[in-house]
Amino acid sequence: MLSTNIYCYLLCCIVVYVASLLPAKACQCKELKKLGKVELVNAESVFIGRVVSIDSTDNWHKIIVFEVLDNLKKDGRKKISVSTGYGMGDCGLPIKTEQEWYIFTQIIEGKASATICGRSILLNDSIASLGNRYGYDDFMLEKHSDNIARVAAEIKYIRKKYLTRTP
């Protein structure tokens, strides 16, 4: 009887040890495809904005209030609130006040939300300072550097094809 308990204990220890060796990745993003009309139409908001305030809602989310500098969907809003996680492992945007962002939101759990896995990107900071300031891993640095050209192309696409109508 005692030997059975020892075997169970050893087995549990081995399972815990092996599980601790596995890499833990809380946030895994898929590669973004080229922006299409359906995704653009389904977006809750697409804009360039400056962070005005950051309010905590709970331990998992924060609400970012943006002053809209360029409302690419042309819906007339001057301020937009966006829900996101706190950053890094929860896929939230690591946002600080006064930063300027290209924001592309979707409705998640009834709220306009943005994550690092989406199209949103910080506009007014260098890649080197991103790594130093936030401790981003290589994935984040690659994601941001690769996406600078993507964002410029998306903004041009949005203005040209769907949202800017010239008489």
Side-chain angles (χ1 to χ4, degrees):
M1 185 74 170
L2 181 61
S3 64
T4 304
N5 288 341
I6 291 173
Y7 287 122
C8 287
Y9 176 76
L10 288 174
L11 179 62
C12 288
C13 288
I14 291 170
V15 168
V16 169
Y17 175 73
V18 170
S20 72
L21 295 177
L22 298 174
K25 294 184 180 180
C27 182
Q28 295 182 351
C29 303
K30 296 179 182 176
E31 186 175 334
L32 289 174
K33 295 180 180 174
K34 186 175 179 179
L35 177 62
K37 185 175 183 178
V38 172
E39 185 180 8
L40 178 59
V41 169
N42 290 333
E44 194 279 331
S45 59
V46 182
F47 64 94
I48 295 171
R50 181 178 297 115
V51 179
V52 174
S53 66
I54 303 171
D55 299 313
S56 297
T57 59
D58 55 35
N59 291 334
W60 303 105
H61 296 93
K62 57 187 174 184
I63 300 294
I64 312 300
V65 178
F66 288 92
E67 170 192 0
V68 177
L69 303 175
D70 189 354
N71 192 327
L72 298 167
K73 286 197 83 165
K74 307 294 183 201
D75 64 11
R77 294 184 286 175
K78 301 293 183 201
K79 287 194 176 179
I80 296 178
S81 296
V82 176
S83 176
T84 192
Y86 280 95
M88 303 309 285
D90 66 2
C91 298
L93 297 172
I95 291 180
K96 304 285 184 190
T97 56
E98 296 300 314
Q99 291 177 330
E100 291 181 11
W101 284 76
Y102 167 70
I103 299 290
F104 197 103
T105 66
Q106 300 173 322
I107 298 297
I108 300 173
E109 297 178 6
K111 298 177 185 172
S113 302
T115 70
I116 61 170
C117 295
R119 298 186 174 281
S120 299
I121 187 170
L122 178 64
L123 295 177
N124 68 339
D125 222 340
S126 71
I127 299 304
S129 68
L130 280 174
N132 293 335
R133 185 175 302 159
Y134 301 116
Y136 281 161
D137 59 15
D138 289 340
F139 166 78
M140 286 300 298
L141 291 176
E142 289 170 14
K143 176 179 172 27
H144 277 79
S145 62
D146 290 347
N147 282 344
I148 292 169
R150 175 194 54 83
V151 169
E154 285 181 9
I155 291 170
K156 183 177 179 181
Y157 172 81
I158 292 167
R159 287 186 175 140
K160 182 179 178 184
K161 293 247 182 197
Y162 299 106
L163 301 173
T164 304
R165 304 282 186 228
T166 53

